[in-house]
Amino acid sequence: MAYISGIGCISPQHTMDNEVFLEEAVNQQALFLQCIQPNSYKEFINPILSRRLSKIIKMGITSALISLKDAGIENPGAVITGTGLGCVEDTEKFLMTMLDNKETLLNPTNFMQSTYNTISSQIAIILKCFNYNSTYVHRGFSFESAVMDALDLMANGDADNALVGGIDELTENHFQITSLLGNCRQEAENNLELLHHPGKGTIPGEGSVFFTLTKEQQSSTYCELKGIKMHYKPANFFGVWIEIKQLLEEHNLTEEDIDLLVMGTNGNQETDIYYQQIHSSLFPNTSVASFKHLCGEYYTASAFGLLLAANILKRQTVPTVCQFKGDKPSNIRNIILYNHYAGDQHSVMLLSKC
Amino acid sequence: MEEKELIDKLRKEIIQQLNLEDMNPEDIDPDLALFGEGLGLDSIDALEIIVLLEKNYGIKIEDPKQGKTIFASIRVLANYILTHQKPQ
């Protein structure tokens, strides 16, 4: 277990300011959701360095710095990042140049920054942090793997705190390719209406969320992250059912102790069935909050779900735009965050009020 | 191409290639040192300029150590291009 003591987020919503949380939802009529960029990154990154960085690297560094500032920590015990696609914009630029120039005249910047671990590395360089640094690239388990690594690191006494992030960017090119798989809505849709119109596919998105996890509770702490479970390609919802049961038992809790479910429902009726079955079989009377209509679907979207769950526990209220099923609970002690990516990578996190 | 015309072209190309945000072509003094104390470019920028020279002017710098002399300033770079560019 660990405490979430700092958060930094750049997303398709106004989430950079930790003083307010989802008071006004951003409504986009779009095929995919893109992050709201700050007016300037100068406040966070030296312009001499910034000029060479792509959007995702700037987003990652900035959200990481906001998270550390929120937690009042200057140099974390570890920097651990999860990303499904890494710096895909730089990768595309590099590959397109290879094609256009017949494998000659390649720009070094795009090549150097096309790797998955550029974000973690740049954060460490800026912070002058020589501690543990790692990047996990496991599709829909990328962020979860980063969280598990941080929890293990702290449990083993190798770090007192860790900066953990989930980050992905979406490019027009990548959207065109992935939409061929049939996982995306074919027509531009109002994101705030997405969950009210289940159908084929969903709205993809992107985001950068960093958490500062601490071993000890502190004044900035949002909530306690008690545990995490993952299940790859369950035959049916029962595989996830067992994981949730085990997670609750490990912490001497029952279904009745869960006051809110935060679920990654994304409007894709083929895969949202898992969420419906878990809700009806395990938590039929528990209220549900959703988040993917705000950030879109992407490999590390569970990080946005964790941002939502942590803020709900700290503020003891569910943002109206996130309330999906049931009434808003009043005393929120425990939350189960359940997410899956395309029905393949399923993860469950248990969070508690401090 | 005249030296002045080439200097103006290079200033624009360098700003674009190196993403020198918030900088206008006229901000770069043609005699200002590109590296170190002057414009403050670094070794990665040098590689980018090598690619730019080959791509836009057909000039291949085989030995990167030559860059120190060739990239002394925009004016020096322009003169190098004028004397080494093969006639079209």
Side-chain angles (χ1 to χ4, degrees):
Chain A
M1 56 75 76
Y3 295 95
I4 296 177
S5 295
I7 297 178
C9 176
I10 295 180
S11 74
Q13 302 297 319
H14 293 292
T15 45
M16 270 185 74
D17 180 4
N18 283 328
E19 294 299 312
V20 290
F21 186 68
L22 295 178
E23 287 182 1
E24 283 181 32
V26 175
N27 176 340
Q28 296 184 37
Q29 186 80 21
L31 280 167
F32 56 88
L33 302 181
Q34 290 190 297
C35 290
I36 297 169
Q37 298 297 310
N39 292 333
S40 168
Y41 281 103
K42 280 181 188 168
E43 188 187 334
F44 304 95
I45 311 168
N46 180 337
I48 297 288
L49 174 67
S50 175
R51 70 188 165 90
R52 202 177 278 145
L53 305 178
S54 65
K55 185 182 81 174
I56 190 174
I57 305 174
K58 288 182 195 170
M59 280 166 41
I61 292 169
T62 302
S63 48
L65 294 178
I66 292 172
S67 175
L68 288 173
K69 191 178 176 191
D70 196 26
I73 290 171
E74 286 186 1
N75 205 333
V79 179
I80 311 172
T81 303
T83 178
L85 293 172
C87 304
V88 71
E89 187 188 335
D90 274 317
T91 306
E92 283 177 359
K93 279 184 189 168
F94 176 66
L95 292 176
M96 290 307 288
T97 315
M98 273 182 95
L99 283 173
D100 293 344
N101 297 344
K102 297 187 170 51
E103 300 187 18
T104 60
L105 303 171
L106 303 176
N107 297 99
T109 303
N110 298 143
F111 169 64
M112 289 186 299
Q113 295 182 354
S114 61
T115 56
Y116 292 94
N117 58 357
T118 308
I119 304 156
S120 257
S121 326
Q122 287 290 347
I123 292 167
I125 289 167
I126 284 182
L127 294 174
K128 295 184 173 57
C129 174
F130 297 96
N131 297 326
Y132 181 86
N133 194 296
S134 194
T135 298
Y136 287 88
V137 185
H138 300 316
R139 298 173 71 91
F141 278 157
S142 303
F143 174 65
E144 286 78 357
S145 304
V147 170
M148 280 199 89
D149 192 13
L151 295 179
D152 284 347
L153 209 65
M154 287 190 278
N156 293 335
D158 294 325
D160 291 330
N161 55 62
L163 183 62
V164 183
I167 179 164
D168 271 301
E169 68 178 336
L170 183 63
T171 63
E172 179 74 37
N173 196 35
H174 187 77
F175 169 74
Q176 296 295 343
I177 294 167
T178 49
S179 62
L180 297 175
L181 297 171
N183 294 333
C184 309
R185 293 284 168 103
Q186 295 301 306
E187 302 287 333
E189 193 150 347
N190 180 335
N191 62 305
L192 298 187
E193 295 296 318
L194 175 70
L195 302 184
H196 301 300
H197 301 128
K200 189 169 167 50
T202 184
I203 300 179
E206 60 178 14
S208 172
V209 196
F210 272 82
F211 301 89
T212 304
L213 303 184
T214 56
K215 226 171 168 177
E216 305 295 335
Q217 187 178 342
Q218 56 184 59
S219 59
S220 66
T221 294
Y222 286 72
C223 64
E224 183 185 358
L225 173 57
K226 281 186 181 293
I228 178 170
K229 294 275 185 191
M230 289 185 265
H231 197 117
Y232 182 61
K233 284 192 176 175
N236 53 48
F237 83 99
F238 195 62
V240 184
W241 191 94
I242 292 170
E243 300 288 357
I244 295 175
K245 278 284 203 185
Q246 282 180 352
L247 188 58
L248 292 173
E249 277 171 26
E250 284 170 15
H251 295 89
N252 299 315
L253 295 171
T254 66
E255 291 88 319
E256 285 69 39
D257 294 314
I258 301 303
D259 304 302
L260 181 72
L261 291 174
V262 174
M263 288 187 164
T265 314
N266 68 9
N268 184 343
Q269 59 191 11
E270 278 179 33
T271 48
D272 276 353
I273 189 118
Y274 284 101
Y275 299 116
Q276 291 152 12
Q277 288 171 324
I278 287 295
H279 181 239
S280 59
S281 63
L282 268 175
F283 306 99
N285 302 316
T286 308
S287 295
V288 178
S290 295
F291 57 91
K292 283 192 182 153
H293 56 307
L294 302 176
C295 65
E297 179 66 278
Y298 57 100
Y299 288 118
T300 50
S302 54
F304 193 92
L306 186 59
L307 162 91
L308 173 63
N311 270 285
I312 289 173
L313 283 166
K314 184 179 186 182
R315 296 164 197 270
Q316 285 294 299
T317 182
V318 181
T320 304
V321 71
C322 298
Q323 187 66 37
F324 184 53
K325 277 184 183 170
D327 298 327
K328 280 189 184 186
S330 49
N331 180 22
I332 310 167
R333 299 158 301 157
N334 301 301
I335 291 179
I336 283 281
L337 165 62
Y338 167 40
N339 182 66
H340 67 72
Y341 184 82
D344 290 341
Q345 291 98 4
H346 297 249
S347 68
V348 182
M349 293 187 221
L350 173 61
L351 300 115
S352 297
K353 178 184 170 186
C354 290
Chain B
M1 195 183 288
E2 295 294 320
E3 183 195 82
K4 189 184 174 308
E5 194 185 343
L6 183 55
I7 284 174
D8 288 343
K9 187 166 178 267
L10 276 171
R11 291 200 283 201
K12 286 178 195 157
E13 287 172 340
I14 284 177
I15 284 174
Q16 191 190 9
Q17 185 79 16
L18 307 183
N19 289 322
L20 296 171
E21 293 169 353
D22 305 327
M23 198 163 235
N24 297 311
E26 56 274 19
D27 295 337
I28 306 178
D29 181 341
D31 296 310
L32 184 76
L34 290 176
F35 297 87
E37 291 291 307
L39 202 57
L41 303 184
D42 59 21
S43 57
I44 299 169
D45 295 316
L47 288 172
E48 292 282 5
I49 296 174
I50 288 173
V51 173
L52 184 152
L53 277 185
E54 190 172 350
K55 202 171 176 178
N56 297 2
Y57 300 94
I59 295 173
K60 195 166 185 175
I61 297 180
E62 302 286 357
D63 181 7
K65 286 178 190 164
Q66 282 184 280
K68 200 173 180 182
T69 327
I70 301 165
F71 304 154
S73 69
I74 293 269
R75 193 184 303 280
V76 174
L77 182 59
N79 283 314
Y80 183 84
I81 292 170
L82 288 171
T83 52
H84 288 78
Q85 196 174 22
K86 288 174 188 161
Q88 300 272 323

